[in-house]
């Protein structure tokens, strides 16, 4: 039977198969319930498929608030059964049984306890010997902050560096100093090996780690990536290679700005105004408002698409970086409603609606002309 190298707990179904008390399952892992001071999670049995297996290490990604907020207990056994109160239980059955008190479960598991550690990140399981391993996670509220466990990876087998040495060095097994000392280098080497094996997925924007997205962006000529939200940056990089063929064009700028804001922007170039030369009144108004010159253009973005000053400054910086060298761009934020002296466009940042009667302090009322017209029409119909 082939031995399992490692077991990962990072999905809802991984945690749902265990026992939870005062702990809720989230999209990211498990967390202490609101209003609770403490909570306990008992995992299912992790099977290495090998009798007498030497468990190597546990790597935990968590969000704790001091060492006192998270506590781990590790248990090991070669037997999947346990005798309790004259009855034979499967460990899985005992762990998940809500009728058996937690303290009674702990008393039954106590002989199999191999490690206790507070708020671990990476722990070597030197005393973890047995085919099965399971763990107890205790979460404690600290000053109103609720700790969370996002990801757990338990290594069941590894390439032991001790096995490459002469037999005289192996006489003490992994319990001696040399075995424990080399185990530290095994962990570092194994992490590097996994990163090398998984390096191909870093080239996929949808799967790459957040910090690697900025490297990908630089490779395709996108600067100031810190201005982008992670989800929008992933969406942009997914099709950027094809879009780079149109770099420096209006199409490219529309794609970049549209991805950043979530909606297509409006462009007005000098050539667009030239179509109105036949209408002198309209042409003069447009020239005074927009036609700064043949090498200038305006970009219109609704305020709803970039509501904060940070996003608007980011847009200005982005436009400045990707515009052609000889073109000057103007960013115009379209605020909702009608304001004198500002850009107003029906259906874009303003709408035409019917007026309603306005009440002043709930006493006096300003009649609506539209409402009066409707009322008069109805009265005429009755006559």
């Amino acid at each position: 039977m082939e031995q399992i190298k490692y077991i990962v707990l990072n999905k809802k179904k991984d945690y749902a198969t265990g026992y939870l008390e005062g702990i809720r399952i989230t999209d990211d892992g498990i967390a202490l319930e609101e209003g609770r001071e403490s909570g306990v999670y008992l995992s299912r049995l992790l099977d290495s498929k090998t009798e007498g297996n030497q468990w190597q290490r546990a790597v935990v990604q968590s969000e704790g608030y001091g060492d006192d907020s998270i506590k781990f207990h590790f248990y090991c056994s070669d037997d999947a059964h346990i005798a309790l109160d004259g009855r034979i239980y499967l460990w899985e059955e005992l762990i998940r049984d809500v009728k058996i008190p937690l303290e009674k479960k702990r008393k039954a598991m106590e002989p199999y306890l191999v490690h206790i550690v507070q708020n671990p990140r990476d722990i070597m399981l030197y005393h973890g010997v047995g085919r099965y391993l399971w763990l107890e996670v205790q979460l404690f509220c600290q000053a109103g902050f609720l700790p969370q466990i996002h990801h757990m990876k338990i290594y069941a087998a590894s390439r032991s560096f001790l096995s490459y040495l002469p037999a005289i060095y192996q006489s003490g097994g992994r319990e001696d100093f040399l075995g424990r000392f080399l185990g530290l280098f095994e962990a570092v080497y194994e992490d590097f090996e996994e990163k090398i094996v998984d390096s191909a997925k870093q080239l996929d924007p949808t799967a790459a780690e957040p910090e690697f997205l900025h490297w990908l962006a630089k490779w395709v000529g996108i600067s100031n990536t810190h201005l982008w939200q992670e989800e929008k940056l992933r969406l942009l990089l997914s099709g950027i290679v094809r879009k780079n063929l149109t770099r420096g064009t209006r199409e490219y700028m529309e794609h970049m700005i549209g991805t950043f804001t979530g909606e297509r922007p409006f462009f007005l170039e000098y050539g667009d105004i030239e179509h109105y030369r036949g209408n002198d009144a309209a042409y003069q108004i447009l020239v005074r408002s927009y036609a700064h010159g043949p090498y200038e253009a305006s970009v219109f973005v609704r305020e709803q698409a970039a509501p904060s000053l940070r996003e608007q400054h980011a847009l200005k910086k982005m436009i400045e970086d990707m515009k052609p060298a000889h073109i000057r761009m103007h960013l115009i934020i379209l605020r909702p409603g009608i304001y004198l002296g500002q850009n107003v466009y029906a259906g874009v940042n303003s709408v035409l609606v019917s007026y309603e009667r306005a009440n002043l302090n709930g006493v006096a009322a300003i009649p609506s002309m539209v409402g009066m017209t409707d009322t008069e029409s109805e009265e005429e119909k009755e006559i």
Side-chain angles (χ1 to χ4, degrees), residues 328-366:
R328 184 179 179 185
M329 303 293 300
H330 303 275
L331 174 63
I332 299 175
I333 302 298
L334 301 177
R335 293 180 172 82
I338 298 177
Y339 297 89
L340 294 178
Q342 295 189 14
N343 299 279
V344 177
Y345 303 91
V348 178
N349 63 330
S350 66
V351 294
L352 299 177
V353 296
S354 61
Y355 289 96
E356 297 180 357
R357 297 176 183 272
N359 292 321
L360 302 178
N361 300 325
V363 179
I366 300 176

Side-chain angles (χ1 to χ4, degrees), residues 116-162:
I116 301 177
V117 60
Q118 289 182 305
N119 203 10
R121 294 292 185 269
D122 194 333
I123 176 176
M124 306 300 295
L125 301 175
Y126 296 118
H127 304 294
V129 179
R131 173 173 175 173
Y132 304 101
L133 179 142
W134 67 100
L135 49 94
E136 176 185 351
V137 183
Q138 300 176 5
L139 302 181
F140 302 93
C141 178
Q142 297 290 323
F145 294 102
L146 306 179
Q148 301 180 36
I149 304 293
H150 299 305
H151 178 276
M152 290 185 283
K153 193 172 188 178
I154 316 296
Y155 290 82
S158 68
R159 181 189 305 168
S160 174
F161 286 4
L162 194 64

Side-chain angles (χ1 to χ4, degrees), residues 47-303:
D47 189 358
S48 68
K49 307 295 185 183
T50 303
E51 298 290 333
N53 174 68
Q54 171 63 66
W55 294 84
Q56 182 197 5
R57 57 192 284 236
V59 179
V60 181
Q61 293 181 5
S62 62
E63 186 176 338
Y65 303 91
D67 290 342
D68 293 334
S69 62
I70 300 176
K71 192 173 184 179
F72 273 72
H73 292 70
F74 293 89
Y75 303 88
C76 281
S77 175
D78 273 322
D79 196 343
H81 301 81
I82 177 67
L84 182 66
D85 295 337
R87 176 183 169 185
I88 302 299
Y89 288 89
L90 285 170
W91 276 116
E92 296 274 6
E93 183 183 2
L94 177 66
I95 289 172
R96 300 187 63 180
D97 195 335
V98 295
K99 296 181 180 179
I100 300 177
L102 178 60
E103 289 304 320
K104 194 170 187 178
K105 295 179 183 179
R106 284 175 173 164
K107 188 173 181 180
M109 296 187 299
E110 188 175 358
Y112 305 94
L113 180 63
V114 293
H115 283 280
I116 301 177
V117 60
Q118 289 182 305
N119 203 10
R121 294 292 185 269
D122 194 333
I123 176 176
M124 306 300 295
L125 301 175
Y126 296 118
H127 304 294
V129 179
R131 173 173 175 173
Y132 304 101
L133 179 142
W134 67 100
L135 49 94
E136 176 185 351
V137 183
Q138 300 176 5
L139 302 181
F140 302 93
C141 178
Q142 297 290 323
F145 294 102
L146 306 179
Q148 301 180 36
I149 304 293
H150 299 305
H151 178 276
M152 290 185 283
K153 193 172 188 178
I154 316 296
Y155 290 82
S158 68
R159 181 189 305 168
S160 174
F161 286 4
L162 194 64
S163 63
Y164 293 99
L165 299 179
I168 188 173
Y169 295 104
Q170 304 178 33
S171 58
R174 293 181 62 93
E175 287 297 317
D176 67 347
F177 170 78
L178 183 58
R180 297 195 301 271
F181 179 73
L182 291 179
L184 300 175
F185 296 94
E186 292 174 25
V188 174
Y189 178 82
E190 194 162 49
D191 287 344
F192 276 118
E193 189 176 39
E194 289 183 8
K195 289 182 179 180
I196 293 172
V197 171
D198 295 338
S199 60
K201 76 177 184 181
Q202 301 295 349
L203 301 177
D204 181 2
T206 60
E209 296 178 1
E211 57 270 19
F212 201 77
L213 288 175
H214 302 287
W215 286 92
L216 289 179
K218 290 180 180 179
W219 293 350
V220 291
I222 300 175
S223 58
N224 297 308
T225 53
H226 64 281
L227 301 175
W228 289 76
Q229 296 178 6
E230 181 182 326
E231 298 78 10
K232 292 183 178 179
L233 185 57
R234 291 185 187 276
L235 178 62
L236 176 68
L237 293 176
S238 298
I240 196 60
V241 175
R242 182 177 64 257
K243 281 297 179 182
N244 260 350
L245 299 176
T246 63
R247 192 179 183 89
T249 65
R250 175 172 172 172
E251 178 187 349
Y252 179 81
M253 296 184 69
E254 285 182 348
H255 174 72
M256 293 286 289
I257 298 173
T259 304
F260 185 85
T261 62
E263 63 181 45
R264 183 173 176 268
F266 302 92
F267 276 76
L268 186 63
E269 302 179 58
Y270 187 81
D272 297 328
I273 299 175
E274 291 300 299
H275 297 301
Y276 294 89
R277 275 191 176 275
N279 187 338
D280 187 64
Y283 179 75
Q284 292 301 326
I285 294 175
L286 291 172
V287 167
R288 286 195 302 268
S289 301
Y290 308 109
H292 305 284
Y295 300 104
E296 300 189 24
S298 299
V299 182
F300 299 86
V301 175
R302 296 198 312 152
E303 189 179 43

